[in-house]
Amino acid sequence: MIFGKKDHLVGLDIGSSTIKVAELKTAGKEYTLHKFGMSRIAPGTIVEGRVVDMEGLAKEIKALFKAQKIREKNVAISTGGHSVVIKTINTTTQAEKELHDTILSEAEQYIPYDIDDVNIDYQVLGESQFSPEQVNVLLVAVKKDLVAEYIELTQMAGLNPRIIDVDTFALQNAYEILPYESQEKVTLLIDVGASKTSLNILKNNSSLMMRDTISGTNQVIEALCDQFEITVDEALQAVNSEAGGVVSVSDVERVRLNVAQSWCSEICEVVNTYQSGANDERVEKIVLSGGGAFVQGFKEALLSELEADVSVINPFEGLIVNERKFPDAFTTKAGPLAPIAIGLALRKIDDK
């Protein structure tokens, strides 16, 4: 096994409700799950993608690494939400240096922030379907203060952040190693986290459209608090079906279904926008991940609105897994929450 190389990274997914960590062993094109763990964090630790309790979260990350006995300090992390802008743009085919200068000079019109306040990166996707003289370019801009915040956080946890990725790309990395997935079909990856939802429409491993929204599973908590005038702790008790809950199970399910239907409406708008300009190509597959994948009624709502196969991701199926160390019951339950951490763990230090 090639392990402990200088380019080896641990994937650290810092979510607003749960942190996840993954470490893989690699041998050629095969990946073995070496370490994986999750830890819930206190509500309010991260708000709208920004870290509120830096010291407390750094301690949680340290504790998770210690609990999983992970010694490697080089990590790949990711960001998302409104502080990250992802756009597919078209520009004239040019030599590499001229293309670089053109993209940087034109980027300002696509980014709703001062150009001096963001870090910009891009990737050429290939020739435009509309003209051989045009190329499609994936433009990514991340606010510099957000990057600095996450670097400081990981360093406080005693780690070395070597790559800062985007949640959507990390999820796509994990999806692409699944052995049974057809890459030729137009596929929508949906990751519903606690405070944001990431959408990525792709075909042949190339992204065709990406969107982030502020929807997430926290909406269930907020709706319960508003409708029944209860505290966040009481709402969490109700959602987790804990003893002493002040809201009935049927009321919780009704609220969940209403929230899931609102997610479905937003997703349908994105799909319709894509399909209206995609030369009759339609989304054929939908793959769910994140905590929202567990919300009853969400999958069914998508099935009723969109003519596509809907499934829930299990990224462990793309890895060699020791079932004695990681039993099926664990990987099935953790699967929807794991892909971003696993996608990050697939990165190497020198990756573009």
Side-chain angles (χ1 to χ4, degrees):
M1 291 287 184
I2 303 170
F3 191 57
K5 291 174 61 179
K6 291 182 180 179
D7 63 352
H8 171 66
L9 292 171
V10 174
L12 174 60
D13 174 16
I14 305 170
S16 56
S17 67
T18 310
I19 49 177
K20 285 80 69 175
V21 64
E23 187 172 29
L24 308 178
K25 290 183 178 182
T26 61
K29 294 184 178 181
E30 291 187 328
Y31 304 94
T32 299
L33 184 63
H34 183 54
K35 302 281 180 67
F36 180 82
M38 302 184 293
S39 177
R40 293 194 67 84
I41 59 176
T45 301
I46 297 177
V47 177
E48 296 183 353
R50 309 309 294 258
V51 182
V52 175
D53 183 3
M54 189 82 73
E55 185 175 341
L57 185 52
K59 287 180 179 178
E60 290 285 353
I61 294 170
K62 274 185 177 180
L64 181 57
F65 270 67
K66 184 177 181 180
Q68 297 302 318
K69 300 179 181 178
I70 297 176
R71 297 179 181 178
E72 177 61 59
K73 301 299 182 183
N74 290 329
V75 298
I77 60 176
S78 60
T79 62
H82 66 271
S83 294
V84 178
V85 178
I86 304 172
K87 295 280 187 182
T88 301
I89 64 174
N90 296 314
T91 190
T92 306
T93 303
Q94 304 169 59
E96 186 175 345
K97 177 63 170 64
E98 287 76 14
L99 180 63
H100 176 82
D101 293 341
T102 298
I103 291 171
L104 293 185
S105 65
E106 294 181 355
E108 191 165 8
Q109 65 182 295
Y110 302 105
I111 298 168
Y113 304 113
D114 190 307
I115 201 71
D116 295 327
D117 293 337
V118 296
N119 291 322
I120 294 174
D121 199 359
Y122 66 89
Q123 181 176 351
V124 178
L125 299 177
E127 183 180 294
S128 169
Q129 66 188 60
F130 303 108
S131 169
E133 298 178 356
Q134 296 272 316
V135 289
N136 294 324
V137 177
L138 189 66
L139 178 68
V140 181
V142 184
K143 295 194 73 175
K144 290 179 179 178
D145 60 344
L146 178 68
V147 172
E149 187 175 278
Y150 275 74
I151 289 174
E152 181 184 356
L153 171 66
T154 48
Q155 289 176 338
M156 284 179 66
L159 304 172
N160 304 317
R162 301 303 301 268
I163 283 180
I164 301 180
D165 206 336
V166 175
D167 294 341
T168 312
F169 298 153
L171 172 59
Q172 184 175 337
N173 285 344
Y175 172 76
E176 288 176 359
I177 67 168
L178 294 177
Y180 54 82
E181 294 294 352
S182 169
Q183 310 300 339
E184 290 78 26
K185 292 183 177 181
V186 178
T187 301
L188 170 59
L189 304 183
I190 303 175
D191 183 76
V192 182
S195 58
K196 71 174 178 64
T197 293
S198 297
L199 307 175
N200 183 6
I201 299 175
L202 65 154
K203 181 180 181 181
N204 293 325
N205 296 342
S206 293
S207 293
L208 306 173
M209 178 182 284
M210 292 185 177
R211 292 284 188 276
D212 271 6
T213 74
I214 58 172
S215 300
T217 56
N218 282 346
Q219 289 176 283
V220 176
I221 303 299
E222 293 165 2
L224 288 169
C225 291
D226 290 343
Q227 291 184 31
F228 299 97
E229 298 182 347
I230 58 177
T231 66
V232 170
D233 286 341
E234 288 172 332
L236 287 169
Q237 281 184 346
V239 165
N240 296 324
S241 300
E242 295 178 7
V246 295
V247 182
S248 70
V249 172
S250 61
D251 282 333
V252 172
E253 290 307 315
R254 176 178 53 79
V255 169
R256 278 179 168 148
L257 183 59
N258 289 339
V259 171
Q261 288 172 336
S262 72
W263 298 342
C264 185
S265 297
E266 291 180 347
I267 291 163
C268 286
E269 286 185 17
V270 173
V271 171
N272 291 335
T273 298
Y274 164 74
Q275 293 181 162
S276 65
N279 293 331
D280 296 326
E281 278 198 332
R282 303 190 67 80
V283 172
E284 299 174 80
K285 292 195 305 177
I286 297 173
V287 182
L288 305 179
S289 62
F294 297 108
V295 172
Q296 190 171 0
F298 181 35
K299 180 178 178 180
E300 291 75 16
L302 289 170
L303 282 167
S304 69
E305 294 292 334
L306 298 170
E307 296 179 1
D309 295 328
V310 183
S311 62
V312 177
I313 198 169
N314 184 349
F316 298 112
E317 293 177 350
L319 309 173
I320 298 171
V321 178
N322 183 334
E323 293 182 5
R324 288 180 297 179
K325 189 175 180 181
F326 302 101
D328 286 345
F330 171 81
T331 55
T332 299
K333 186 175 181 180
L337 303 175
I340 292 177
I342 289 174
L344 292 170
L346 291 167
R347 299 293 306 271
K348 303 298 180 186
I349 286 175
D350 295 328
D351 284 351
K352 171 76 170 66

